[in-house]
Amino acid sequence: MFALTARLRRVFSRPTRRRVIAGGAVLVLVAALVTWAALPERHSWTATDQMVSVLSGPSGTEPVALDTRFYLPEDHDGKVPAVLLAHGFGGTKESVSDDAESLADRGYAVLTWTARGFGRSAGEIHLDNPDYEIKDGQRLLDWLAARPEVRTDAAGDPRVGVVGGSYGGALALMLAAQDARVDAIVPMITWNDLSTSFFPGGVFKKNWAGLFFTSGSDAGNPACGRFAEDVCAAYLKMATTGTPDAATTALLRKSSPAGYLTRIKAPTLLIQGAVDTLFPLSEADANAKGIAATGTPVRVAWFTGGHDGGVGPKTDQDRTRFLTAEWLDHYVKGDGPAPENSFTYSRVAGFSALDRGLVTNGYSDPTYPGIGGTGRTDVAVTGAAQQIAAPPNGNPGALSSLPGVGGQLSSLLGGVAGDLGGQHATFASAPVGTAIEVVGSPQVKLRVAAATGSATVFVKLYDVDPTGTETLSGGLIAPVRLTGLAKDIAAAQPVTVTLPAIVRRIDQGHTVRVVVATTDQAFLTPAAPAGYTVAVEPAVSLPTVVGTPIANPQVIWRWVLLSALVVIALGAAAAYWLTRRRPTAPVEEFAETPLVVRDLRKAYADGFVAVEKVAFTVQRGQVVGLLGPNGAGKTTTLRVLMGLTMPTSGDALVFGQRLVPGAPILSRVGALVEGPGFLPHLTGYENLQAYWRATGRPLAEAHFDEALEIAGLGESVHRRTKNYSHGMRQRLAIAQAMLGLPELLVLDEPTDGLDPPQIAEMRRVLKRYATDGRAVLVSSHLLAEVEQTCTHAVVVNKGRIVASGPVDDIVGESPSVQLSVSDVAVASTVLAGLNVRDVRRDGPADLIVDMNGTPREEVVASLVRAGVGVDRVVPRRRLEDAFLALVGDNSRGSGDR
Amino acid sequence: MISGYSPSRTLPIGAEIRRQASRRRTQLALGFMVLLPLIILLAFEFGGGDDDDNGGGAFSSLVDLATSGGLNFTLFALFVSSSFLLVVVVALFCGDTVASEASWGSLRYLLAIPVPRARLLAVKLVVALGYSLTALLTLAGTALLVGTLRYGWHPLGSTVAAEIPAGEGLLRLLGILGYLAVMLLGVAGLAFLLSVLTDAALGAVGGAVLLWILSSILDQITALGGIRNFLPTHYSDAWLGLLSTPMQTDDVVKGAISAVCYAAVFWSMAFYRFTRKDVTS
């Protein structure tokens, strides 16, 4: 704990330059991130909210206040084209703000408004009635034409496209039919004829109709909400009876584009969803056919989504956005080439592994094939005629979709299939031999017999995989109301039922299952119970389209990956080439000298200078001792010699080659630095082998036997090194250093942990080793060891050389003598008369005398003659002089300085 | 230079493989890769019919399908181990390799041979990656073997798409293994960098796993938005896309880019640091 706090304190108390730079960089990064997150988003447009009062109604004189928002691109050159953007049923101008913003980003003036009867707009809901909502739209075109920023084709005629989904989509169609000033339209997921949408096959789509109606409700009028009286009355009537009367049908027709399609001259991009039980693909098909009949350009796109499926997967959103922009750019803005006429659609490919969303693949076909496909495949289903019962009031009812839930995965993928026993008949095919790409409306021939002569049934087409899991594409089913039926199935005439259009690949091995059910919760069924007999003709006709897969823009990432790999490979190659070792010429002068250290200095990052200035030479045949107290800088010097540490300045030459980390010349050096280092899980012998294998040199050069002999471990060499004593490890490490008999042997405190006989043996070994032109460098803090082992010595202290030379010179007799005398004062006088150089007091009875060549016996004789008693005459030795001078007064290591 | 010495022959790959092979942790890690499929198999066999719905989306059905054939069993074994176990194993092999030599003190003797520093790292990295790949393949191979022996050779099933015939299923499985291997390069890079930076093997392995878990946690926080795309773990589940027909490779490709870039950055830093630092251990 203390150690930790001490270290922390050290880390924080020394603001070195590197720490300051690193800390600064982190600060800047954090600040940038915070700023980026906190800065308000910048828009390229301005938006103005305004209540606009328009005159509409049959007479064109009824004022109604509409809640509008006008988006204007900020940097526009001159006048900009406009887009009238309408929202869906139950929405407001807010619900299209995202689309409005992205259109404004593309340089369009965008006018959004809340339709009458919704939100803050006044008026009542007339269901896209030409006299009301559509006329409102016309007045908004007038308003746009009056804006100075909006481009016009003629006075009062703005350059404008109309875009909208569902309720807004129908408005776009009908506005284009009613007003020739509209230049292009993009109606999405909208209807062709409300009477077929709400009464498909003559059966009331009660669930959706109810949701549709209640989304216009209002607390002020619980019965009718903000609906216009006639609309409300029509709904109440049709929801009660389940069959539209003439007035209701007329009202629904009036609110449907179906009757006005031939008047549409604006190029039309129809976008419809394949997961939409409210306005299925057939509605867009009818619109497309009706508009195209007069030669107006029409393009159709399907996506995986809709009133049940929501906005669809990202790829689909991107595609429809792109198509919309392309359409508007060409037909409204006048930019870009004419869009192709191709038909695009998408098919579910599976789940995204990351966000569990759906993944779809886009396909295109050169022309729009309609809902009949470009080809047809017949699949034979079998099954005997079956009797099924319709319960009273259709309760309990089967479940095929969940209207209004919107975008639920389950309904998107396979519907919420649930058929009830006794209420459905099943007809299944054999597993299909090859996959069928169904794109369009399948057709089934049905024979139904009923005692009452009429029947309401629901026909569904399931894709059943080999495990028996059945999937109802998009939850789409075909309700059929049949009348004039035979009582006996044998007499029943086949009726062709066209199922809702789907996009699905029926894989090889899957079966097609046709189910005829008597109930469905989404539809109103007759209140009276009934029994039917149902049979299906074998041939089920499946429309097919083999589309061309649309190039996935994500493919770009493959190229990114490839380029990343290439860049990394090139970078690695460049790094290798730049850092490869170029052989350096040796310093010829020292080519035969095992080691030359020149003015070595090592300062650590924290400022500590371990080696101030060290220079010495090791010649062949020498055993050089590097002597110094602990922390004198010996180990640091040796680390530099091993290429483990880079010197701050100066260098070391081994046989003339500069020592840098990994210098090949190190192969001529054997080392023991800072204690042994072995793989603990290997035996001593295995360690030596592993070490030698790592040198990559031939086994024969290792001289294992000599090394093992030096180690002297006996049988213990086959024990794991983690069980070794300190001394055993030390001997093994010396043996490892001697493997291959390197020409220079560097040993750091080799006798550490050895017992006296082993030390004696080691001395002999080292002396013997330095023959044959080899050299040994031994570091030690023990004077005696160096004295006994080495031929030469280098004494270091506090990172500096204090003395160096042959041990004999250093250790040999020095000119000084230590005299212990009985009377120091007299002796000093006597000595002063002799030819000596220096006399120093050293303690109460001792003198140190520099003899200056005067023989010792002469000095002793003179003293005795003068009556001074001589107790001891001790010749001083130089190394001792030096060493004691260094450490005598301070026992602390220089590393502590 | 002494005869017989050549920098490019030092620390041969074989020598490093043997250095690591003799270690207990290598043997245990690889052994566990064999053991895990057997444990899973036993759990399925004796686990009883305790039907608790884990209700975790479409891929929870991987569990239900696990016993439907050898391929599905292998898929399950990979599914359960990819997010944590394999990460730990890879971090172990890559994080321990340099740091443990440093802590034993044997690193300085390797450098004094001298093994050039870049070569030492390269050999260590190659061998660590080799062991990681071996672990991955051992796990998959064992699972495939015991799964096929017990449950038979059947098409690869998943609820998101059609059954995939066994032959193609095997290819898909190899694709998934390949992607997992690439994905794990990220953690391999991180662990290796830490291994160079510290002398404590545990610190390197633990640190890498810890950072990986942190990244996974951050990836769960959807509020982070687009930043999550840059997390190294963001695409770690993209291999599930290889199960659908046609295969969804977009995220796989992005994941590969992410992993390769992270690994390259981490390894560059490791090489940069190691070739310049003072080895003091």
Side-chain angles (χ1 to χ4, degrees):
Chain A
M1 192 64 218
F2 288 117
L4 182 69
T5 49
R7 276 180 66 177
L8 281 175
R9 207 178 309 126
R10 249 181 55 188
V11 166
F12 289 112
S13 65
R14 286 193 192 151
T16 63
R17 213 176 66 174
R18 277 174 62 182
R19 281 196 196 109
V20 170
I21 291 173
V26 168
L27 261 179
V28 168
L29 201 69
V30 169
L33 273 174
V34 168
T35 318
W36 177 72
L39 269 184
E41 222 178 318
R42 290 183 59 83
H43 297 306
S44 63
W45 39 263
T46 51
T48 327
D49 286 301
Q50 192 181 345
M51 294 301 287
V52 173
S53 188
V54 297
L55 294 173
S56 59
S59 59
T61 54
E62 301 169 23
V64 63
L66 298 176
D67 182 14
T68 67
R69 179 176 295 168
F70 186 56
Y71 298 81
L72 195 65
E74 226 161 36
D75 42 328
H76 54 89
D77 310 326
K79 302 192 166 195
V80 287
V83 170
L84 200 58
L85 183 58
H87 62 79
F89 200 79
T92 64
K93 62 177 185 180
E94 297 290 346
S95 30
V96 290
S97 57
D98 283 351
D99 288 334
E101 286 168 14
S102 75
L103 283 169
D105 275 336
R106 288 192 70 88
Y108 291 94
V110 184
L111 179 62
T112 65
W113 79 103
T114 305
R116 60 162 62 215
F118 296 101
R120 294 176 53 217
S121 288
E124 293 174 324
I125 303 166
H126 290 269
L127 272 191
D128 280 344
N129 188 300
D131 287 332
Y132 296 96
E133 279 86 355
I134 310 304
K135 208 168 261 181
D136 292 348
Q138 289 183 282
R139 298 292 80 81
L140 291 173
L141 293 181
D142 298 343
W143 186 88
L144 274 175
R147 299 289 307 202
E149 304 91 347
V150 173
R151 198 196 297 175
T152 51
D153 292 323
D157 178 3
R159 175 61 68 92
V160 67
V162 186
V163 179
S166 195
Y167 193 59
L171 179 128
L173 285 162
M174 292 167 72
L175 183 58
Q178 194 159 320
D179 199 316
R181 289 179 293 171
V182 175
D183 295 295
I185 55 171
V186 185
M188 296 176 266
I189 55 167
T190 193
W191 66 87
N192 170 253
D193 188 339
L194 276 183
S195 62
T196 57
S197 295
F198 283 127
F199 296 93
V203 184
F204 181 47
K205 205 186 274 177
K206 64 169 183 181
N207 230 333
W208 267 121
L211 279 166
F212 209 69
F213 189 72
T214 47
S215 57
S217 67
D218 180 63
N221 182 352
C224 284
R226 297 178 70 177
F227 280 95
E229 210 174 309
D230 54 342
V231 178
C232 179
Y235 170 74
L236 293 177
K237 205 183 292 172
M238 74 185 186
T240 314
T241 61
T243 42
D245 57 14
T248 307
T249 307
L251 183 137
L252 292 177
R253 278 282 160 90
K254 199 171 185 198
S255 291
S256 299
Y260 316 99
L261 293 177
T262 51
R263 283 157 43 189
I264 296 177
K265 296 293 172 239
T268 306
L269 170 66
L270 286 158
I271 296 171
Q272 201 78 354
V275 190
D276 196 328
T277 56
L278 177 57
F279 303 130
L281 297 171
S282 53
E283 298 291 313
D285 186 56
N287 283 334
K289 290 206 167 87
I291 300 168
T294 62
T296 305
V298 174
R299 193 176 187 188
V300 179
W302 294 352
F303 72 102
T304 306
H307 283 93
D308 293 273
V311 292
K314 178 126 191 346
T315 48
D316 272 13
Q317 293 178 41
D318 290 346
R319 176 166 57 91
T320 53
R321 271 211 192 111
F322 170 78
L323 292 175
T324 307
E326 187 190 37
W327 199 261
L328 293 175
D329 282 357
H330 179 73
Y331 288 112
V332 179
K333 200 192 266 179
D335 265 2
E340 284 178 62
N341 195 31
S342 65
F343 160 63
T344 59
Y345 62 99
S346 69
R347 197 180 62 213
V348 175
F351 287 105
S352 157
L354 289 188
D355 55 12
R356 306 293 192 258
L358 277 178
V359 171
T360 55
N361 291 337
Y363 298 88
S364 75
D365 206 50
T367 52
Y368 175 56
I371 53 174
T374 53
R376 294 200 89 88
T377 302
D378 282 356
V379 173
V381 296
T382 54
Q386 291 157 50
Q387 294 203 324
I388 50 175
N393 286 316
N395 186 43
L399 198 61
S400 61
S401 59
L402 295 168
V405 176
Q408 287 294 304
L409 211 56
S410 51
S411 60
L412 255 176
L413 243 203
V416 278
D419 288 313
L420 299 170
Q423 295 185 16
H424 72 279
T426 304
F427 307 89
S429 75
V432 299
T434 51
I436 307 169
E437 314 267 356
V438 182
V439 178
S441 289
Q443 285 183 336
V444 177
K445 283 205 177 74
L446 201 64
R447 288 188 298 129
V448 181
T452 56
S454 69
T456 298
V457 292
F458 303 91
V459 188
K460 324 175 188 188
L461 185 122
Y462 286 106
D463 172 7
V464 186
D465 78 6
T467 62
T469 308
E470 49 180 29
T471 308
L472 179 63
S473 228
L476 289 156
I477 66 171
V480 213
R481 188 170 156 74
L482 301 165
T483 49
L485 296 173
K487 291 189 163 46
D488 181 16
I489 189 69
Q493 289 301 309
V495 185
T496 300
V497 177
T498 301
L499 295 164
I502 55 172
V503 180
R504 182 164 192 89
R505 177 189 158 104
I506 296 172
D507 281 303
Q508 182 191 354
H510 286 214
T511 56
V512 173
R513 185 181 292 169
V514 174
V515 167
V516 182
T518 57
T519 56
D520 196 278
Q521 293 188 14
F523 294 87
L524 189 70
T525 44
Y532 316 130
T533 308
V534 185
V536 167
E537 298 288 303
V540 172
S541 171
L542 302 172
T544 55
V545 172
V546 180
T548 317
I550 296 174
N552 182 347
Q554 303 274 350
V555 169
I556 185 90
W557 291 108
R558 297 189 190 171
W559 295 104
V560 174
L561 175 61
L562 201 67
S563 352
L565 289 176
V566 169
V567 166
I568 289 168
L570 286 178
Y576 178 78
W577 190 79
L578 287 174
T579 59
R580 86 204 139 100
R581 197 178 297 283
R582 293 167 192 81
T584 48
V587 180
E588 282 303 328
E589 184 187 354
F590 301 116
E592 281 306 309
T593 315
L595 179 65
V596 179
V597 178
R598 303 192 290 194
D599 292 347
L600 201 67
R601 177 184 161 88
K602 174 66 188 177
Y604 284 103
D606 59 2
F608 175 68
V609 181
V611 177
E612 280 284 349
K613 189 176 178 185
V614 166
F616 59 91
T617 304
V618 177
Q619 297 287 354
R620 287 185 188 273
Q622 291 182 346
V623 179
V624 176
L626 193 59
L627 181 65
N630 287 326
K634 304 190 298 285
T635 300
T636 302
T637 306
L638 295 191
R639 271 205 213 130
V640 173
L641 295 190
M642 295 300 59
L644 300 174
T645 298
M646 333 269 165
T648 312
S649 66
D651 58 6
L653 303 175
V654 172
F655 296 106
Q657 291 277 7
R658 257 192 100 214
L659 264 183
V660 288
I665 197 66
L666 278 169
S667 58
R668 291 169 75 171
V669 181
L672 161 66
V673 181
E674 283 188 284
F678 292 113
L679 278 59
H681 54 280
L682 295 184
T683 67
Y685 187 69
E686 287 167 341
N687 256 301
L688 292 188
Q689 278 188 322
Y691 174 81
W692 191 256
R693 267 198 298 272
T695 66
R697 290 164 59 187
L699 197 63
E701 290 179 14
H703 303 279
F704 268 110
D705 295 338
E706 280 108 313
L708 287 174
E709 196 184 327
I710 288 160
L713 289 170
E715 275 309 298
S716 293
V717 83
H718 295 299
R719 283 169 55 204
R720 292 188 174 189
T721 49
K722 66 175 161 196
N723 301 324
Y724 277 17
S725 71
H726 185 59
M728 289 163 82
R729 267 191 221 149
Q730 188 75 9
R731 277 179 286 154
L732 190 65
I734 293 168
Q736 177 178 290
M738 287 184 181
L739 277 183
L741 303 179
E743 288 161 272
L744 175 62
L745 190 61
V746 177
L747 301 176
D748 189 11
E749 308 277 0
T751 54
D752 184 26
L754 303 192
D755 50 28
Q758 288 167 340
I759 292 176
E761 170 64 19
M762 193 55 61
R763 275 186 212 128
R764 276 193 294 279
V765 167
L766 293 184
K767 281 206 160 125
R768 204 164 56 231
Y769 193 87
T771 55
D772 302 337
R774 287 191 290 254
V776 180
L777 177 65
V778 179
S779 89
S780 178
H781 63 284
L782 299 174
L783 173 65
E785 187 176 301
V786 170
E787 201 180 324
Q788 291 171 22
T789 315
C790 300
T791 60
H792 292 68
V794 178
V795 185
V796 287
N797 189 40
K798 300 188 180 180
R800 286 178 181 277
I801 302 261
V802 184
S804 69
V807 169
D808 289 341
D809 280 9
I810 299 177
V811 176
E813 295 190 357
S814 104
S816 309
V817 165
Q818 183 182 8
L819 292 172
S820 297
V821 291
S822 55
D823 187 337
V824 174
V826 176
S828 300
T829 323
V830 172
L831 289 169
L834 293 168
N835 184 25
V836 297
R837 192 174 291 147
D838 180 40
V839 179
R840 276 189 292 129
R841 281 289 289 268
D842 185 34
D846 288 341
L847 286 170
I848 291 178
V849 185
D850 185 339
M851 304 294 277
N852 195 22
T854 313
R856 280 195 292 268
E857 59 269 28
E858 195 185 315
V859 173
V860 174
S862 306
L863 286 173
V864 172
R865 274 199 300 272
V868 179
V870 177
D871 182 32
R872 281 193 303 172
V873 181
V874 184
R876 293 269 297 190
R877 297 184 304 177
R878 280 189 186 147
L879 193 54
E880 203 163 14
D881 275 350
F883 200 61
L884 290 181
L886 301 173
V887 294
D889 54 344
N890 188 356
S891 61
R892 293 199 305 153
S894 58
D896 301 331
R897 73 195 125 123
Chain B
M1 203 184 334
I2 201 160
S3 70
Y5 170 84
S6 159
S8 58
R9 280 211 301 272
T10 54
L11 193 60
I13 299 264
E16 173 63 14
I17 290 176
R18 288 167 79 160
R19 275 175 100 88
Q20 301 297 332
S22 56
R23 298 184 56 188
R24 189 73 74 211
R25 58 116 231 224
T26 310
Q27 295 157 0
L28 283 178
L30 290 180
F32 191 70
M33 293 291 112
V34 175
L35 202 61
L36 181 74
L38 297 174
I39 293 172
I40 296 175
L41 186 77
L42 288 178
F44 279 137
E45 290 301 297
F46 301 109
D50 192 14
D51 256 2
D52 74 275
D53 272 356
N54 49 4
F59 289 100
S60 68
S61 54
L62 279 180
V63 183
D64 308 329
L65 288 171
T67 56
S68 68
L71 289 169
N72 270 99
F73 183 79
T74 313
L75 201 60
F76 178 76
L78 288 176
F79 182 68
V80 293
S81 49
S82 67
S83 56
F84 189 70
L85 179 69
L86 287 175
V87 170
V88 172
V89 169
V90 170
L92 182 68
F93 283 130
C94 295
D96 178 272
T97 181
V98 178
S100 63
E101 296 275 2
S103 67
W104 295 328
S106 48
L107 181 62
R108 58 177 177 267
Y109 292 104
L110 288 178
L111 293 179
I113 280 175
V115 182
R117 291 191 181 188
R119 178 173 172 84
L120 182 105
L121 271 204
V123 170
K124 289 246 166 219
L125 181 59
V126 166
V127 172
L129 291 181
Y131 271 111
S132 304
L133 187 66
T134 308
L136 181 64
L137 294 180
T138 307
L139 176 71
T142 315
L144 192 59
L145 186 72
V146 299
T148 305
L149 287 179
R150 175 63 189 85
Y151 301 115
W153 184 247
H154 297 300
L156 183 63
S158 75
T159 53
V160 288
E163 272 193 349
I164 301 159
E168 203 200 326
L170 188 65
L171 288 180
R172 297 275 182 103
L173 200 65
L174 285 177
I176 289 169
L177 282 175
Y179 180 69
L180 280 178
V182 171
M183 216 42 223
L184 289 168
L185 287 182
V187 79
L190 182 60
F192 196 70
L193 174 61
L194 292 178
S195 188
V196 166
L197 295 182
T198 175
D199 293 348
L202 192 69
V205 178
V209 173
L210 206 71
L211 288 173
W212 213 248
I213 291 173
L214 179 70
S215 167
S216 304
I217 292 172
L218 289 179
D219 196 36
Q220 306 284 321
I221 302 170
T222 44
L224 288 175
I227 296 174
R228 293 192 304 149
N229 292 343
F230 295 96
L231 291 172
T233 55
H234 182 66
Y235 294 100
S236 53
D237 284 340
W239 58 271
L240 292 166
L242 298 179
L243 293 175
S244 68
T245 308
M247 286 188 280
Q248 303 163 22
T249 51
D250 299 345
D251 287 332
V252 169
V253 171
K254 286 186 206 163
I257 294 172
S258 157
V260 166
C261 291
Y262 269 110
V265 168
F266 287 141
W267 286 333
S268 312
M269 287 163 73
F271 273 80
Y272 182 87
R273 182 81 191 100
F274 190 70
T275 47
R276 278 159 185 78
K277 79 169 193 171
D278 288 343
V279 176
T280 51
S281 54

